[in-house]
Amino acid sequence: EGAPVSTLMEHYMLDTMLDLAGFGEGEGQMTTGSSNGNMIAMLAARNQAIETGKEQGLFGHSPLLAFVSADAHYSLDKAANILGLGTHNLVKVPVDEHGRMQPQALERLLQQHSQNGKIPFFVCATLGTTVRGAYDSLPPLVELREKYGFWLHGDGAWGGAALLDDELKKHFLPGIEQLDSFTWDFHKMAGTNLMCNVLLFNHHRGTLRCVCSAGEHSYLFREEDKNAELDMGTASLQCGRRVDSLKWFLDWKFFGKKGLAERIRHYLALSEYAEQVVHGIPELEMTVPRESFNVCFHFRTPENIPANEFNLELRNRLFKQGISLVGIAYIEEKLTLRLLITHPDYSRADVDSFFSNLVAAGKELMHEHLQG
Amino acid sequence: EGAPVSTLMEHYMLDTMLDLAGFGEGEGQMTTGSSNGNMIAMLAARNQAIETGKEQGLFGHSPLLAFVSADAHYSLDKAANILGLGTHNLVKVPVDEHGRMQPQALERLLQQHSQNGKIPFFVCATLGTTVRGAYDSLPPLVELREKYGFWLHGDGAWGGAALLDDELKKHFLPGIEQLDSFTWDFHKMAGTNLMCNVLLFNHHRGTLRCVCSAGEHSYLFREEDKNAELDMGTASLQCGRRVDSLKWFLDWKFFGKKGLAERIRHYLALSEYAEQVVHGIPELEMTVPRESFNVCFHFRTPENIPANEFNLELRNRLFKQGISLVGIAYIEEKLTLRLLITHPDYSRADVDSFFSNLVAAGKELMHEHLQG
């Protein structure tokens, strides 16, 4: 009611996103970020698993179990805490050498826990893990869902942007149309200003309202309203909201699906190039092979210099000297430098100068270490 | 790490707000709105009440009970759903003729439910109810807390702005420094752009981090970091965030506490004036006496014209003719028009013209009704 035009823009964009994902008879919503999107999906699954959950709470019910890969984002842990499920009831499934959830391991864990009287209700596939950029494979998870009947959610916060390009979608997201829900951030690779997250539900029209709505709110929402169907307020966990749909709609109209798809392909091409550059520099080494958009590498160190400390020092020096702020993370306790390219004007020349600056600083630091 | 200056601004503003509220050794955070602030406060109370709640969830535990006034905001119902407590475990305490929670009724309900094996853990005082603008009286609730040991939260989403003026604070918020937590929206009366909500904890340093943090997030937050204490990421439920502290800090520096206090006093004076105007117009009537900033009135109707339908029609006509968009709400099933003044340039002349337009449209509509 307060912003009718932007509400129509939001509907238009959400419908467009549902089409892209291949979700039939679905619905969507803009949230405050994928952390929030993941939580709402888990909430919907929880209230579906425990029919009385919304009114009576979880007290006295058999424990529910959620499953994610060991490399999933920490927002899933937060969601398990917030929703009253408990972080110990979020089971971490081992990943394979590519950083993808192992379906066989998932099935073993599903069987094992079901025997203990716990109820598996939710599996989250990470579509583009935070550190390595790995995409969990969906078809085997869809198969397991047939057997175990859980809610299958896709966290595409980072990697979901592959949806914008038909080829990348086929390559990275096969089976996405089978998910029960999917969330991704338009403010990451797609470049819209913060915040711009979208959460999509498949074959679940009305679920959002049912899950999120509660309490007496007739000062805002009234059934006599002819446009109640269009009003998105009762389906949101927020009360007041920024008009985030405007910038999203304008970006979409200005760049178009094609323009944004080119952007994503450009990022992928640059990360392929960056991997080649790393291979060509003797001082550097890929920490793990590149899975998608993430380039995880480190500076090689001789045996007498601890690699993690050295790379951390190198990274801090680059930051303090105002040269660059590189992401770092740990892969199996090994510190890795993590290059993610998300600026549309970034070019091969920028990749070159990033690495040559880094190598120069690294050599200098190595020199100091060997002398000191 | 990504925005060090705005992090310092946020710390500065939160410390200032803690001082204003009289919270010693407290901590604060910016959230996505009071709906979110209320939920996080309830989450903190829940995890304090059930020590194993964060890890094990609520399964198998005796039901917890939260209490709010019957006029509290619907976000509390949502929070009870999200947190796994169940909306039926949110008890609505009757209000007195001013729209304030009745402490005697609260005590009766506390006793009654404790006997049934349920555990009261959270009471939320509404400080400025959405519809009537009533402030629950804090001292009797503080007394009950001594006896029953619950977490006492204050929802000042709307009315919390009274904090900015020492006299209004004394009048509307006596005892606020005794609360366990308090949330209010700087984007409402105080006028900062959406979103700008603050959640404050009293005597609870470290609680936010303990409550909200979960999972492996070393790609962002690392203990070797000397400034880990300053980093607010692990205490937030969001991962990426907008730099909301900048606009807040600048508003504070530009207008100052004094300037903002004047603004709030100006709103109060205008609503006093609006009430007088209503009293002076025979066609209008106050639905209930004014409690604070909210002016709840309606157009009088003869017995043969249903008051609610008429006022709704009047309100829609004003909207469609582009004259004004007036809030409406129900007080004991009686539809009321609800004037809230939150623009700093609004003057007595604006109040006059608002009412004269409304009365003109109302007379016209009445004429049509009596003829038709």
Side-chain angles (χ1 to χ4, degrees), chain A residues 1 46-47 54-55 57-58 73-74 78 81-84 86-88 130 194 211 217 219 236 242 315, chain B residues 1 46-47 54-55 57-58 73-74 78 81-84 86-88 130 194 211 217 219 236 242 315:
Chain A
E1 179 176 273
R46 187 200 73 186
N47 282 8
K54 185 173 174 180
E55 290 80 21
L58 313 182
H73 191 252
Y74 70 93
K78 289 197 180 194
N81 170 28
I82 296 168
L83 298 175
T87 51
H88 288 185
T130 315
L194 287 176
V211 165
H217 44 48
Y219 81 98
S236 170
R242 290 179 62 91
R315 187 258 187 188
Chain B
E1 179 176 274
R46 187 199 74 185
N47 282 8
K54 185 173 174 181
E55 290 80 20
L58 313 182
H73 191 253
Y74 69 93
K78 290 196 179 194
N81 170 27
I82 297 168
L83 298 176
T87 51
H88 289 184
T130 314
L194 287 175
V211 165
H217 43 50
Y219 81 98
S236 169
R242 290 179 61 91
R315 187 258 187 188

Side-chain angles (χ1 to χ4, degrees), chain A residues 2-293:
Chain A
V5 176
S6 62
T7 300
L8 293 179
M9 287 180 182
E10 190 162 337
H11 274 287
Y12 171 83
M13 287 306 297
L14 291 172
D15 285 344
T16 308
M17 293 301 122
L18 287 167
D19 278 351
L20 273 185
F23 281 14
E25 289 295 309
E27 62 179 337
Q29 112 174 183
M30 297 183 75
T31 84
T32 63
S34 277
S35 294
N36 195 232
N38 286 331
M39 186 194 84
I40 297 173
M42 206 190 268
L43 171 62
R46 187 200 73 186
N47 282 8
Q48 193 183 65
I50 304 187
E51 272 180 38
T52 57
K54 185 173 174 180
E55 290 80 21
Q56 306 294 346
L58 313 182
F59 308 109
H61 199 279
S62 310
L64 296 181
L65 283 179
F67 297 79
V68 293
S69 98
D71 282 2
H73 191 252
Y74 70 93
S75 60
L76 278 309
D77 300 78
K78 289 197 180 194
N81 170 28
I82 296 168
L83 298 175
L85 303 163
T87 51
H88 288 185
N89 290 318
L90 180 75
V91 182
K92 306 289 174 74
V93 183
V95 294
D96 64 17
E97 73 278 15
H98 296 277
R100 298 175 303 204
M101 187 192 284
Q102 293 184 30
Q104 301 87 338
L106 172 61
E107 180 152 29
R108 264 198 311 279
L109 287 163
L110 283 165
Q111 287 173 343
Q112 181 188 319
H113 284 288
S114 305
Q115 285 163 1
N116 296 337
K118 296 192 169 186
I119 302 164
F121 80 109
F122 182 82
V123 173
C124 171
T126 308
L127 302 167
T129 55
T130 315
V131 175
R132 298 181 58 173
Y135 286 75
D136 290 345
S137 175
L138 295 177
L141 301 182
V142 171
E143 239 175 77
L144 286 173
R145 178 179 60 184
E146 296 303 310
K147 208 162 151 188
Y148 295 92
F150 47 77
W151 179 293
L152 184 56
H153 172 68
D155 175 7
W158 167 240
L163 202 57
L164 290 165
D165 182 82
D166 294 339
E167 253 181 68
L168 296 185
K169 178 180 165 189
K170 218 177 287 172
H171 182 70
F172 288 119
L173 300 166
I176 184 175
E177 71 286 349
Q178 305 279 341
L179 289 172
D180 292 298
S181 56
F182 175 63
T183 184
W184 67 290
D185 284 332
F186 225 82
H187 60 247
K188 290 200 168 102
M189 274 191 266
T192 295
N193 255 320
L194 287 176
M195 306 299 295
C196 191
N197 169 270
V198 55
L199 170 66
L200 305 173
F201 280 24
N202 201 359
H203 301 298
H204 282 281
R205 217 171 259 277
T207 304
L208 275 170
R209 189 152 310 180
C210 168
V211 165
C212 297
S213 167
E216 155 40 38
H217 44 48
S218 64
Y219 81 98
L220 285 177
F221 312 111
R222 291 166 295 276
E223 279 172 18
E224 78 264 8
D225 212 322
K226 272 172 285 174
N227 293 323
E229 263 283 304
L230 278 180
D231 203 322
M232 317 187 85
T234 54
S236 170
L237 292 184
Q238 293 178 273
C239 181
R241 285 203 288 151
R242 290 179 62 91
V243 185
D244 284 318
S245 61
L246 175 61
K247 63 192 181 193
W248 192 23
F249 181 80
L250 293 179
D251 275 358
W252 184 256
K253 286 298 169 192
F254 186 76
F255 298 109
K257 175 175 184 296
K258 205 172 140 230
L260 293 172
E262 264 167 35
R263 185 180 286 188
I264 309 301
R265 279 203 309 272
H266 174 61
Y267 294 149
L268 188 64
L270 279 182
S271 44
E272 281 167 10
Y273 176 69
E275 187 181 29
Q276 287 167 21
V277 173
V278 169
H279 284 314
I281 299 176
E283 287 82 4
L284 301 182
E285 183 178 27
M286 291 295 284
T287 313
V288 289
R290 188 182 52 80
E291 291 298 323
S292 61
F293 301 88

Side-chain angles (χ1 to χ4, degrees), chain B residues 161-188:
Chain B
L163 202 58
L164 290 165
D165 182 83
D166 293 340
E167 254 181 67
L168 296 184
K169 177 180 166 188
K170 218 178 286 172
H171 182 69
F172 288 118
L173 300 166
I176 184 175
E177 70 287 349
Q178 305 279 341
L179 289 172
D180 292 299
S181 56
F182 175 63
T183 184
W184 67 289
D185 284 332
F186 224 82
H187 61 247
K188 291 201 168 101

